[in-house]
Amino acid sequence: MKNCVVYIDHDNIKFSKYDKIICELFKSYNTTIKIFINENELKYIDNINKLKYNLFLCNSPAKTKNSADISLTIECMKDICSNKYDIFIIISNDTDFIPLCKEIKSKNKECYLCFDGNFNSYLNEIYDKTYNLSHLLKLENDKKQKDLDTQKQKDLDTQ
């Protein structure tokens, strides 16, 4: 089984919105999830997930937006050097991670991107795989609604 590390840029994509999808996507790997979050956003992560995942608080004295990006990149570089992981997954809408992806791939590792919403198709040429989380969430919600409708119809048929 491959070892996989997931880096979540919580400033860009809220983990709490997609936690079930993310966990489902990568359940066939030995997966480590690392969430890069500022202290103000910590309230959106429930206590179970605070214990379950690696949280990296990314507050800078100047309150700059890029502190999470820089922390994520540094952690990823450490993980590349450790050689513990085969697959690196970046969850962000930020195209700033393209050079990081290229570095990961230069080390003969796989790099995936999960994003929320619309992204340019050229990213499919850069990353080994891409996942549109908002599309996957819609599919999951549609399936749940279909299952509910089917159950309601069964209930009506038995009456």
Side-chain angles (χ1 to χ4, degrees):
M1 182 177 286
K2 289 188 175 185
N3 292 321
C4 166
V5 59
V6 178
Y7 305 94
I8 299 171
D9 180 3
H10 195 273
D11 283 351
N12 275 258
I13 295 180
K14 307 301 181 217
F15 174 73
S16 53
K17 183 176 180 182
Y18 298 112
D19 62 341
K20 289 182 177 79
I21 292 171
I22 292 166
C23 293
E24 184 66 24
L25 272 177
F26 307 114
K27 70 179 181 183
S28 62
Y29 304 115
N30 286 329
T31 303
T32 300
I33 294 180
K34 299 181 177 189
I35 303 171
F36 296 82
I37 187 169
N38 71 52
E39 210 168 331
N40 297 332
E41 293 285 316
L42 203 53
K43 62 187 170 206
Y44 299 112
I45 305 290
D46 65 43
N47 288 333
I48 293 172
N49 285 332
K50 285 177 185 172
L51 297 172
K52 190 174 179 182
Y53 302 117
N54 298 302
L55 296 175
F56 293 79
L57 293 180
C58 303
N59 293 340
S60 69
K63 304 269 189 230
T64 59
K65 181 200 170 307
N66 292 330
S67 61
D69 294 359
I70 293 167
S71 296
L72 187 154
T73 301
I74 291 169
E75 185 65 19
C76 184
M77 296 305 292
K78 288 178 185 177
D79 289 339
I80 290 170
C81 292
S82 76
N83 214 21
K84 290 192 303 189
Y85 302 105
D86 308 298
I87 300 170
F88 293 74
I89 299 161
I90 300 169
I91 300 181
S92 178
N93 283 332
D94 200 339
T95 56
D96 293 346
F97 294 117
I98 291 172
L100 179 60
C101 171
K102 289 178 178 180
E103 180 64 22
I104 292 166
K105 291 176 71 166
S106 77
K107 304 299 183 193
N108 296 317
K109 307 291 183 181
E110 293 179 51
C111 187
Y112 304 168
L113 173 69
C114 296
F115 59 93
D116 174 12
N118 298 321
F119 238 83
N120 293 322
S121 59
Y122 77 88
L123 291 171
N124 291 324
E125 298 169 16
I126 297 168
Y127 291 88
D128 292 302
K129 290 184 184 177
T130 59
Y131 299 94
N132 184 332
L133 294 173
S134 59
H135 177 71
L136 294 173
L137 182 61
K138 183 183 180 321
L139 290 175
E140 182 181 283
N141 289 338
D142 289 350
K143 182 184 181 308
K144 285 179 184 175
Q145 185 59 49
K146 185 178 178 183
D147 291 346
L148 282 172
D149 292 345
T150 302
Q151 186 59 45
K152 284 179 187 176
Q153 188 59 47
K154 284 181 182 177
D155 292 345
L156 286 172
D157 291 344
T158 58
Q159 290 179 354

